[in-house]
Amino acid sequence: MKRSSQDSGSRSIPEDRKLYVVDSINDLNKLNLCPAGSQQLFPLEEKLQDVSTDSGNGSHSLFLVGLIVVLIISLALVSFVIFLIVQTENKMEDVSRRLAAEGKDIDDLKKINSIIVKRLNQLDSDQS
């Protein structure tokens, strides 16, 4: 009373699918048995291949020209970006030098201010 895997498999497949599978297998068999007939089934592919072989050289050269133009434009853009990066770096160095110089000036002014404050305090203490 054991069922084989084929029996259980065939019962789980709906009837429409069985017919579709059988039709597909029949179509494949027709293609294998009648190679001349199979060429008649695909006339559109042959026409497309004929058209593509005639214009293939032109499209390849056009593709190469387009690719070269795109590469030249991208090279120009990359060069421009590198130029902008270098210019920005130079300006940042100038700003950092100015800030460092101003920081030294501020430190000098703080020292002078503290000397003045000390001197004023001494003068106040001497007058009192």
Side-chain angles (χ1 to χ4, degrees):
M1 296 284 202
K2 293 184 181 177
R3 292 183 183 169
S4 67
S5 61
Q6 292 175 350
D7 290 342
S8 63
S10 64
R11 291 182 183 180
S12 64
I13 298 175
E15 196 65 32
D16 292 338
R17 286 192 172 183
K18 287 181 189 176
L19 292 176
Y20 177 74
V21 169
V22 170
D23 287 340
S24 298
I25 292 172
N26 285 338
D27 290 341
L28 288 174
N29 285 334
K30 286 179 186 177
L31 289 176
N32 288 335
L33 294 176
C34 305
S38 66
Q39 290 176 357
Q40 294 173 0
L41 292 176
F42 305 108
L44 183 60
E45 285 183 3
E46 290 175 2
K47 289 179 182 177
L48 289 176
Q49 289 174 357
D50 291 341
V51 169
S52 65
T53 55
D54 292 342
S55 65
N57 294 335
S59 66
H60 288 298
S61 62
L62 183 63
F63 175 74
L64 287 176
V65 168
L67 183 64
I68 290 171
V69 168
V70 167
L71 289 174
I72 290 172
I73 291 172
S74 64
L75 180 65
L77 288 175
V78 167
S79 300
F80 181 67
V81 168
I82 290 172
F83 173 75
L84 288 178
I85 289 171
V86 169
Q87 290 297 319
T88 305
E89 183 179 352
N90 290 340
K91 290 188 180 198
M92 290 298 293
E93 288 175 1
D94 290 342
V95 168
S96 64
R97 279 190 221 126
R98 288 180 188 167
L99 286 175
E102 289 177 6
K104 289 178 184 177
D105 291 342
I106 291 172
D107 289 339
D108 291 341
L109 289 173
K110 285 180 183 178
K111 289 177 185 176
I112 292 171
N113 187 23
S114 65
I115 292 170
I116 292 172
V117 169
K118 286 180 186 177
R119 183 68 180 153
L120 288 174
N121 286 337
Q122 285 177 353
L123 289 175
D124 279 344
S125 64
D126 288 344
Q127 288 178 357
S128 2

